[in-house]
Amino acid sequence: MSATPAAVNQMPREHYLNATWGIRSWLLTTDHKRIALLYLASVTFFFFIGGAFATMIRIHLLSPKGLLVTPETYNKLFTMHGVAMIFFFLIPSIPAVLGNFLLPIMIGAKDLAFPKINLLSWYIYLVGGCFVLYSFSTGGLDTGWTFYTPLSSVYSNSAVTPAVLGVFINGFSSILTGLNFIVTVHTMRAPGMTWFRLPLFVWAQYATSIIFILGTPVIAITLLLAGLERVFHLGFFNPALGGDPILFQHLFWFYSHPAVYIMILPAMGVISEIIPTFARKPIFGYSFIAGSSIAIAVIGFFVWAHHMFVTGESTYAALTFSLLSYLVAIPSAVKVFNWTSTLYKGSISYDTPMLYALGFIGLFLIGGLTGLFLACLGLDIHLHDTYFVIAHFHYIMVGGAVMGYVGGLHYWWPKITGKLYPEFLARIAAITLFLGFNLTFFPQFILGYLGMPRRYASYPPEFQVLNVMSTAGASILALGYLLPMIYLTWSMRYGAIAGPNPWPGTGLEWRTPSPPPTENFDVTPEVTWEPYDYDNRPDLGLDVSGAPALAHGDD
Amino acid sequence: MHRTGELYEQYRTLEQQRETASLGMWIFLSTEVLFFAGLFMTYTLNRSTYPDIFSEASKTIKLSWGAINTVVLIGSSLTMAMAVWASQTGKKKALTWFLIATLVLGTVFLGIKSVEYHDKYVEHHIPGWNFQFEPGADAATNAHAQLFFSLYFGMTGLHALHMIIGAGLLLWLIRESLRGRFTPEYNTPVENIGLYWHFVDIVWIFLFPLLYLIDRH
Amino acid sequence: MSEQHSEQHHIASPTLYLTIFAALMICTFLTVVAAKIDLNQYFSGLNIIVALTIAVFKASLVVLFFMHAKYSPKRTQLVIIASVFWLAIMLFMTMSDYVSRSWT
Amino acid sequence: MSTRQIVQHRKLAHDKERNKTVQADLPLYPEQASNFAMSVDGLMAYITAVCAFFAIAITAAIIYFFFKYRRKHPGEVGVPIHGDMRLETAWIVVPLFLALTMFGWGAVVYVDFRRAPMDTLDIYVIGKQWMWKIQQPTGLREINELHVPVGRNVKLILASEDVIHDFSVPAFRVKMDVVPGHYNTMWFRPTKAGRYHFFCQQYCGTNHALMGGWVTVMEPMEYAAWLSGSSEATANPVLAGEKLFAEKACNTCHVTNGTGRAPSLNGVYGANVLLADGSAVTADDAYLRESILNPQAKIVAGYAPLMPSFQGQLTEEQIIDLTSYIKSLQSQPVPTKGSGVAPATGKK
Ligand code: HEA
Ligand code: HEA
Ligand code: CUA
Ligand SMILES: [Cu+2]
């Protein structure tokens, strides 16, 4: 089903968007929903910056000699692409936008535990972002997003210091968000909202927050040390002064491997919400999906050195880290199997969020499975730092996490704005994205196995055919991103009125008007039902008679 | 209204509000642990690579200052704990005095620290261009000793920064306590800043043996 | 709220604090004394082991009593354990790389 | 430059090119030219098969359910199924088992790669921004070219003068980072004559993409002929090392007959050295390098830690020269106090 007849729905007279007016009421707001929208705007901004760099990368690689820029500039392009996309788009995207908006509503709270700190984290994000933009605009930086020493700390002539500072500062934004989420989940739940009634999205955010608070400080101190080393010519990671460059990698990946789960866990949470809603049945294996989120967050901390198999790390360490990398794959497998099983005997609709969710499963599957190739010691000797790695992580991060994010945006768009987007266009966009994505990144697996190194501004001519395919795909992909941008913006004004529960969904967020009032609920809800339970929810107006569903909230 | 800590609108009960603040503080401290962890890791590796130079470099810092500072800081932890106790039992006068005592001890610590830093400056032991471990030391010895001192200044510097922030928080607490804001029912800021202060103390408890006590025999 | 911690706010007594303080002072004294003795001759690395054991003991006293962890809710204790555990992961697993490099 | 151009460019009389580098238009894997190629490709096939099975099975299930259970009328709900313990167990245990097989097989290949056999031909490779300097055992130097014989176990000893690089030969399926500050080693046995790309595969700054070259695999006879007859610059590293040994005053302490303050270096290479802390190490390249740059790290039993560190005073090439010289001192091993003798005291 898509739009319920708009006539029966009305926008609430007062909601969080129109409760107060003026720019100050936004910049000084402590309402988690407004802060989420501030994040939405800033995160989108960085996505476009990163996307513009990606576009230039792909155009440049059309020709073996490089089409567009000098090698020096090319190096800056992929570095800035990685930094913008990872630290300023993907890591904050789902937690700070969707998580911020939904987490308090989903557990029946009026706001996060620390609303002012929430606003503060957005400002910290902005300050960090400004540093990074400053570094981009004063010559850019060319260290790769991994900032490996001693290249970054001694040899690079580019604007490393402001960029490192920017990422350092941005870390505190993540930390505060994570802190806020954890405390909120612990202490702010509505009566009746027990741990095992939490929506899986909340579980995923909780797991993500564990990584935020225990991992992020490490990248902060590491980059601080690298920055100090650069500015004061110290020797922590510089072998010429007795330091050890591999130590930097250990510290960097201690955070940055778990950080990949920061990016995927929230998307997994989104998928776990979308699938039961559009299959209209309880999720299969609730506790396994919830538990696997926590398992991924914890075990994810034990595998970091799988990025270092060929640095000369000890053989024994490599064996340990490889084995543990295989263990961390199991909880992901559990999720995939449970999502698939949820479809069985469902009542599946073809609405846009569902298309994204299924696309997510397929692409995450390929991305995750190719992680198994890389975690394999013998194979990683060959694959390390080739385009195979590039393809692997774009499959997970673009095909998985970004798809999850965009799908989630579509799913909750009616809640956020109170309006419906044009369904037909949205489906077209979803399919365009899926096809464009595969054309862009599948050839890169082959390129990688053939041995094409990553971060190459020019390459041997035998690799050209596959590169051209990839660039062609990227242009389709860009179109796929442009479309939602346009119609979602359009729908804010012209979209049909959504009503409180258009799909209908079972969570608490669907039991309050769209858009919700500032304090989220007119009366504090009391939870008496199990999650994703359609059978005991007469209020949803579904089932039995088979009569057309007229969704209406109960408040 | 603001006197005794009103209920913020996002909470349902005062009890909930207090628990939330305490949990938030603890989680913040756990991120602090991991923040220092990066330094401890760097320290561990470098010390195990250059044990002899680390021990020689450690001997150039004055043990007595470090020991005195340990006593001072633990003393300030005691007064802080007493301050929390005073606020819990409603002894408003005592609270103010304990807070002032904590602040004084903290300042003494920072004062001694700056004397030590000054000594190091005189001895050319500040990492950077003018670094010179011993007259005539060869380049490699210099570099490795500089590693020790980079860590010394990194770790104690970060610690001192925490102390300075703590001192600022104490000043604020003292002001509020003079206004009589804290009662047995409402003393969350005292408790939380107390937690922070003790954490800073704990960091020092590790820094002292690691930096001052290498092979003092 | 689902999990209630109905326990009263625990208030420790000043005597306890003074006792803990005294213990901390004794430990500080011990750790300086221990550093002055060459323990490494009995067992390589014994000096640092002793120093760190004392430090861990001191830190535990501060956490348990000054910071009231002993009387705190379970989840607070979990936070403490988690942070120490994560610190250990980092130190232990990173060092395991360096230590085992020369193994054959 | 295209593959062929380069090949023509480098056609030397003794260098009979077997131009095998031009591959089919869309190959799926690079040429197999070393002992590791087969095992890595085998691994690849195995893991691909397992993963393809899961990918296809799951995708098929999704598509099937998607159409089979599509919503028939708007008010319909699905059948409430909450889970199934047996299924959950199955899809934990089966993938776990398969993952362990992948791990095990991968580990076997990796351990093989990390443990070089004894009888290797040792070639030094120095990376610097942005070129490779390669030194054959005879001291023959090459730049961005590496010649090796077919069928011999070749060990590369990798050093970097600035940042981290990575030496990678896709046709051999091997690579290893080149880390400043210590030696990494890698080995392979070429199985097919020809010319193959090698790349710098760790990002190292501006011209990272240009920091590549060619491995030429030759028949052993040709290789020998090439080594002796090459017009490329030759310098004898042993002689250079001997000179340095005097220049840097190593010989003031390291006297040949072992009577000096320092152990004699005669026959030390490859020997088992007893250390002051009671442990023992095999004196390989990495050990010699460390002994020169950070002598305090491992003290030979029976000697005082007198030796100054030479870090920062020797280039990577000089270190290689010194090492080559020390390696050449195999003639009349003089027992040092350290070898075979129990440690004197545990005291530092
Ligand atoms: C969101 C991001 C994300 C996620 C979730 C993952 C998930 C995984 N990654 Fe990935 N990875 C990256 C982002 C991500 N990665 C990035 C950015 C890099 C490169 C960084 C750089 O160098 O710039 C990288 C690099 C990288 C490497 C280093 C490669 C190299 O440089 O040499 C390795 C090696 O082990 C690896 C492994 C894995 C594994 C095992 C998983 C697992 O978690 C995957 C688990 C999922 C599944 C396995 C699929 C579902 C399972 C089934 C359907 C059942 C069947 C399963 C079995 C038979 C076991 N990744
Ligand atoms: C969240 C993370 C994320 C995301 C979303 C993406 C998205 C994309 N990435 Fe990115 N990528 C990384 C993270 C990410 N990448 C990282 C971490 C690296 C490694 C960096 C390093 O090595 O240091 C990397 C590296 C990397 C490379 C390898 C460079 C190299 O090693 O030499 C390539 C090459 O194809 C690439 C391509 C793309 C493409 C085509 C997209 C597309 O999906 C992007 C599509 C989106 C848009 C195009 C924006 C929308 C478009 C428009 C609105 C229209 C046009 C706009 C303008 C042109 C102004 N990426
Ligand atoms: Cu050298 Cu890349
Ligand atoms: Cu990883």
Side-chain angles (χ1 to χ4, degrees):
Chain A
M1 67 162 269
S2 58
T4 38
V8 300
N9 290 320
Q10 273 184 340
M11 290 282 272
R13 284 164 63 92
E14 192 186 297
H15 48 79
Y16 77 104
L17 290 168
N18 66 7
T20 48
W21 292 97
I23 187 91
R24 276 173 61 95
S25 78
W26 281 85
L27 291 183
L28 297 179
T29 182
T30 52
D31 181 352
H32 65 101
K33 299 183 286 304
R34 286 191 166 198
I35 296 173
L37 292 192
L38 294 176
Y39 267 115
L40 176 63
S42 28
V43 155
T44 312
F45 172 75
F46 274 101
F47 178 66
F48 272 90
I49 298 208
F53 290 137
T55 316
M56 283 151 82
I57 291 178
R58 283 307 341 154
I59 295 177
H60 181 81
L61 292 181
L62 271 174
S63 131
K65 291 218 174 66
L67 208 55
L68 208 56
V69 292
T70 60
E72 205 177 351
T73 314
Y74 179 82
N75 296 340
K76 292 177 176 168
L77 285 180
F78 69 71
T79 304
M80 297 189 291
H81 166 67
V83 169
M85 285 294 198
I86 298 247
F87 294 112
F88 291 90
F89 166 63
L90 198 51
I91 287 181
S93 64
I94 301 184
V97 179
L98 297 175
N100 232 334
F101 194 98
L102 292 159
L103 189 121
I105 309 188
M106 283 183 157
I107 64 173
K110 289 187 193 143
D111 204 323
L112 285 173
F114 309 112
K116 285 190 193 142
I117 289 185
N118 195 18
L119 181 65
L120 178 66
S121 21
W122 181 68
Y123 277 105
I124 295 178
Y125 169 86
L126 276 196
V127 174
C130 287
F131 271 95
V132 163
L133 288 178
Y134 171 78
S135 130
F136 287 3
S137 57
T138 55
L141 89 156
D142 68 351
T143 59
W145 81 279
T146 46
F147 299 109
Y148 275 7
T149 52
L151 179 64
S152 65
S153 63
V154 182
Y155 288 88
S156 168
N157 296 318
S158 57
V160 179
T161 315
V164 160
L165 259 177
V167 176
F168 169 80
I169 294 170
N170 184 41
F172 292 94
S173 163
S174 300
I175 292 175
L176 293 180
T177 305
L179 190 156
N180 225 332
F181 283 4
I182 291 202
V183 176
T184 306
V185 174
H186 270 285
T187 64
M188 307 284 286
R189 280 170 285 128
M193 181 55 89
T194 59
W195 280 92
F196 285 98
R197 282 179 178 168
L198 287 176
L200 289 168
F201 181 72
V202 175
W203 274 102
Q205 292 295 345
Y206 185 85
T208 310
S209 303
I210 296 179
I211 309 178
F212 270 145
I213 61 167
L214 293 172
T216 320
V218 178
I219 189 80
I221 190 73
T222 309
L223 291 181
L224 188 65
L225 289 180
L228 289 175
E229 169 163 328
R230 185 175 171 85
V231 177
F232 296 110
H233 302 276
L234 307 179
F236 303 115
F237 310 123
N238 177 4
L241 293 176
D244 183 1
I246 304 298
L247 176 64
F248 176 86
Q249 297 186 17
H250 274 297
L251 292 171
F252 180 85
W253 291 114
F254 182 88
Y255 163 75
S256 292
H257 178 81
V260 309
Y261 297 118
I262 292 182
M263 304 180 229
I264 200 67
L265 277 170
M268 291 169 154
V270 170
I271 303 311
S272 309
E273 296 295 315
I274 294 181
I275 289 187
T277 301
F278 295 96
R280 290 245 178 99
K281 64 195 283 286
I283 192 137
F284 195 90
Y286 171 92
S287 49
F288 282 90
I289 297 191
S292 62
S293 289
I294 305 295
I296 290 177
V298 174
I299 308 176
F301 272 97
F302 291 83
V303 309
W304 75 81
H306 68 199
H307 295 269
M308 302 161 58
F309 287 154
V310 297
T311 53
E313 77 175 327
S314 117
T315 312
Y316 296 91
L319 289 170
T320 319
F321 281 107
S322 167
L323 182 64
L324 290 163
S325 302
Y326 279 110
L327 289 190
V328 79
I330 302 305
S332 301
V334 167
K335 282 189 200 278
V336 170
F337 289 122
N338 278 304
W339 290 325
T340 311
S341 310
T342 307
L343 300 176
Y344 175 69
K345 293 200 172 169
S347 159
I348 298 173
S349 82
Y350 298 169
D351 289 313
T352 312
M354 190 62 161
L355 298 186
Y356 278 106
L358 299 181
F360 171 97
I361 302 183
L363 300 180
F364 169 73
L365 198 57
I366 299 184
L369 291 171
T370 50
L372 303 177
F373 293 63
L374 296 169
C376 175
L377 287 164
L379 210 43
D380 190 60
I381 305 173
H382 178 52
L383 293 175
H384 175 71
D385 270 0
T386 62
Y387 262 78
F388 194 94
V389 178
I390 302 279
H392 154 68
F393 69 71
H394 280 90
Y395 259 87
I396 297 198
M397 300 203 298
V398 184
V402 180
M403 284 284 227
Y405 173 59
V406 180
L409 268 185
H410 281 83
Y411 177 53
W412 284 294
W413 195 251
K415 182 54 59 188
I416 296 173
T417 63
K419 300 294 180 63
L420 292 170
Y421 49 81
E423 179 67 25
F424 180 71
L425 262 182
R427 289 186 196 174
I428 301 276
I431 294 168
T432 314
L433 267 179
F434 185 81
L435 297 179
F437 176 83
N438 281 299
L439 184 55
T440 313
F441 292 107
F442 199 83
Q444 296 186 357
F445 283 124
I446 305 171
L447 271 179
Y449 201 70
L450 287 176
M452 173 160 168
R454 60 190 284 204
R455 298 168 167 174
Y456 259 31
S458 50
Y459 53 86
E462 62 258 31
F463 298 136
Q464 186 171 13
V465 180
L466 290 161
N467 268 298
V468 171
M469 283 166 71
S470 177
T471 304
S475 49
I476 302 178
L477 191 56
L479 188 74
Y481 282 118
L482 225 56
L483 264 178
M485 280 299 300
I486 296 170
Y487 65 73
L488 285 181
T489 319
W490 175 90
S491 76
M492 287 202 268
R493 201 177 168 105
Y494 304 104
I497 288 164
N501 197 354
W503 308 123
T506 51
L508 270 181
E509 78 270 29
W510 302 110
R511 288 164 68 96
T512 186
S514 313
T518 302
E519 62 285 354
N520 292 346
F521 297 95
D522 299 328
V523 279
T524 305
E526 180 149 2
V527 184
T528 54
W529 62 90
E530 299 306 311
Y532 313 108
D533 181 5
Y534 277 90
D535 275 349
N536 305 309
R537 290 289 298 279
D539 58 304
L540 297 178
L542 293 173
D543 193 28
V544 216
S545 65
L550 296 187
H552 47 81
D554 57 347
D555 44 5
Chain B
M1 225 339 227
H2 210 80
R3 294 282 103 177
T4 51
E6 82 280 32
L7 185 62
Y8 287 109
E9 58 210 39
Q10 71 268 27
Y11 303 113
R12 280 185 297 275
T13 63
L14 270 173
E15 172 69 13
Q16 181 193 21
Q17 177 167 333
R18 182 163 46 226
E19 277 190 12
T20 305
S22 159
L23 182 62
M25 192 64 199
W26 276 105
I27 292 180
F28 173 72
L29 293 182
S30 76
T31 73
E32 289 273 34
V33 171
L34 271 292
F35 192 64
F36 277 97
L39 281 168
F40 281 108
M41 183 62 240
T42 314
Y43 173 89
T44 311
L45 179 65
N46 281 301
R47 175 164 172 183
S48 72
T49 318
Y50 308 114
D52 298 328
I53 298 216
F54 265 51
S55 119
E56 266 169 55
S58 163
K59 282 177 191 138
T60 69
I61 44 183
K62 284 212 186 64
L63 176 56
S64 48
W65 282 139
I68 292 173
N69 251 353
T70 310
V71 173
V72 169
L73 201 55
I74 294 179
S76 81
S77 249
L78 173 68
T79 54
M80 190 70 229
M82 293 302 290
V84 174
W85 169 79
S87 77
Q88 284 169 336
T89 47
K91 304 187 169 49
K92 292 194 175 184
K93 263 245 178 61
L95 169 62
T96 312
W97 281 114
F98 279 126
L99 288 175
I100 292 176
T102 312
L103 180 62
V104 168
L105 288 170
T107 318
V108 170
F109 178 94
L110 286 171
I112 292 181
K113 202 77 231 154
S114 55
V115 171
E116 292 188 85
Y117 279 8
H118 181 75
D119 285 355
K120 292 286 104 182
Y121 171 74
V122 174
E123 293 165 34
H124 292 286
H125 282 173
I126 309 247
W129 291 276
N130 272 331
F131 185 84
Q132 173 73 45
F133 180 47
E134 280 158 357
D138 61 68
T141 312
N142 249 343
H144 302 162
Q146 176 170 315
L147 272 177
F148 174 84
F149 284 106
S150 305
L151 284 162
Y152 169 79
F153 280 103
M155 293 166 110
T156 58
L158 195 64
H159 177 260
L161 181 70
H162 279 80
M163 296 280 300
I164 293 170
I165 294 172
L169 293 171
L170 277 172
L171 273 176
W172 175 78
L173 272 190
I174 291 169
R175 195 187 75 184
E176 298 298 306
S177 114
L178 283 172
R179 293 182 181 173
R181 182 168 162 195
F182 304 118
T183 61
E185 290 74 42
Y186 176 71
N187 48 36
T188 311
V190 187
E191 269 181 35
N192 274 353
I193 294 172
L195 289 179
Y196 175 84
W197 194 262
H198 297 308
F199 168 78
V200 177
D201 186 22
I202 290 177
V203 173
W204 182 259
I205 286 178
F206 285 95
L207 291 188
F208 176 57
L210 289 180
L211 296 172
Y212 289 76
L213 295 181
I214 310 181
D215 293 346
R216 280 289 176 170
H217 41 269
Chain C
M1 257 197 17
S2 43
E3 64 206 302
Q4 280 298 342
H5 303 278
S6 46
E7 104 270 342
Q8 268 307 302
H9 235 60
H10 184 92
I11 301 177
S13 73
T15 20
L16 175 70
Y17 288 148
L18 281 170
T19 324
I20 299 299
F21 176 72
L24 289 171
M25 287 294 106
I26 293 169
C27 287
T28 307
F29 179 71
L30 280 182
T31 193
V32 175
V33 170
K36 298 240 175 203
I37 308 170
D38 184 2
L39 299 171
N40 287 345
Q41 59 182 320
Y42 307 113
F43 180 75
S44 156
L46 187 57
N47 267 106
I48 179 150
I49 295 174
V50 169
L52 283 181
T53 311
I54 297 180
V56 168
F57 180 69
K58 283 163 78 180
S60 314
L61 289 183
V62 174
V63 172
L64 286 175
F65 299 102
F66 282 179
M67 299 171 87
H68 309 138
K70 193 162 189 286
Y71 320 106
S72 298
K74 279 248 159 43
R75 63 178 174 221
T76 305
Q77 293 167 354
L78 194 68
V79 172
I80 299 169
I81 291 170
S83 49
V84 175
F85 182 65
W86 255 257
L87 173 75
I89 299 177
M90 180 200 276
L91 293 174
F92 181 76
M93 293 195 66
T94 309
M95 284 317 286
S96 76
D97 170 15
Y98 290 95
V99 170
S100 62
R101 278 192 196 179
S102 57
W103 297 359
T104 40
Chain D
M1 266 197 283
S2 80
T3 314
R4 270 198 217 91
Q5 274 173 320
I6 293 181
V7 171
Q8 273 160 9
H9 177 69
R10 303 215 81 267
K11 240 190 183 104
L12 302 164
H14 53 268
D15 201 341
K16 277 193 213 119
E17 294 293 346
R18 246 159 275 249
N19 189 349
K20 297 214 166 148
T21 41
V22 181
Q23 303 172 2
D25 275 311
L26 256 184
L28 290 178
Y29 55 88
E31 256 190 288
Q32 299 178 323
S34 86
N35 59 322
F36 291 112
M38 284 299 277
S39 30
V40 169
D41 287 349
L43 259 178
M44 180 76 182
Y46 171 63
I47 300 185
T48 311
V50 175
C51 290
F53 167 76
F54 280 101
I56 293 171
I58 293 173
T59 313
I62 290 178
I63 293 176
Y64 176 73
F65 293 157
F66 189 62
F67 291 110
K68 170 99 197 267
Y69 300 112
R70 72 169 186 279
R71 189 168 301 160
K72 311 284 186 327
H73 59 86
E76 187 187 59
V77 300
V79 181
I81 308 170
H82 289 271
D84 182 335
M85 273 313 280
R86 282 162 310 171
L87 272 179
E88 302 284 354
T89 325
W91 61 49
I92 289 175
V93 173
V94 173
L96 185 62
F97 173 75
L98 289 169
L100 290 181
T101 62
M102 295 179 197
F103 163 74
W105 189 353
V108 172
V109 175
Y110 184 79
V111 170
D112 185 16
F113 172 64
R114 290 299 297 276
R115 288 203 182 135
M118 297 308 283
D119 57 334
T120 49
L121 182 74
D122 292 3
I123 298 180
Y124 288 98
V125 176
I126 302 176
K128 60 173 281 198
Q129 286 178 328
W130 289 273
M131 61 186 287
W132 295 100
K133 296 188 277 190
I134 287 154
Q135 182 178 308
Q136 296 281 347
T138 58
L140 184 75
R141 300 232 164 116
E142 312 179 71
I143 293 203
N144 293 346
E145 290 283 339
L146 169 63
H147 289 73
V148 285
V150 150
R152 268 297 291 279
N153 294 333
V154 178
K155 183 163 86 181
L156 304 184
I157 297 158
L158 307 159
S160 163
E161 287 188 356
D162 36 47
V163 301
I164 306 178
H165 303 275
D166 181 292
F167 191 88
S168 148
V169 192
F172 295 170
R173 311 288 190 279
V174 292
K175 71 163 61 76
M176 187 50 99
D177 278 4
V178 182
V179 181
H182 75 112
Y183 282 156
N184 273 342
T185 55
M186 68 192 261
W187 81 278
F188 51 82
R189 186 173 60 251
T191 51
K192 203 158 100 185
R195 274 170 73 74
Y196 310 99
H197 263 304
F198 72 77
F199 298 113
C200 174
Q201 207 136 13
Q202 179 62 258
Y203 175 65
C204 55
T206 310
N207 285 329
H208 164 60
L210 302 180
M211 193 173 160
W214 294 90
V215 185
T216 308
V217 180
M218 310 164 101
E219 296 298 340
M221 301 282 287
E222 292 176 48
Y223 174 72
W226 172 81
L227 266 188
S228 52
S230 174
S231 56
E232 318 237 357
T234 310
N236 189 332
V238 175
L239 290 182
E242 190 168 12
K243 223 174 108 209
L244 264 176
F245 203 72
E247 257 168 38
K248 297 281 170 189
C250 315
N251 53 5
T252 51
C253 302
H254 293 279
V255 230
T256 337
N257 59 15
T259 54
R261 289 180 286 171
S264 159
L265 298 179
N266 245 344
V268 63
Y269 183 75
N272 241 351
V273 179
L274 272 179
L275 301 182
D277 65 4
S279 62
V281 288
T282 315
D284 54 7
D285 287 271
Y287 170 77
L288 293 186
R289 183 182 199 285
E290 190 185 38
S291 296
I292 300 171
L293 296 185
N294 184 17
Q296 311 291 327
K298 300 197 176 74
I299 308 288
V300 182
Y303 289 89
L306 290 176
M307 176 161 160
S309 159
F310 287 84
Q311 198 171 62
Q313 302 172 39
L314 298 166
T315 65
E316 289 297 340
E317 272 156 321
Q318 288 176 319
I319 298 170
I320 289 174
D321 288 342
L322 279 174
T323 327
S324 309
Y325 170 64
I326 295 173
K327 278 170 150 180
S328 74
L329 299 174
Q330 297 289 349
S331 43
Q332 343 98 19
V334 176
T336 65
K337 283 189 250 170
S339 20
V341 185
T345 58
K347 198 156 158 53
K348 288 206 203 171

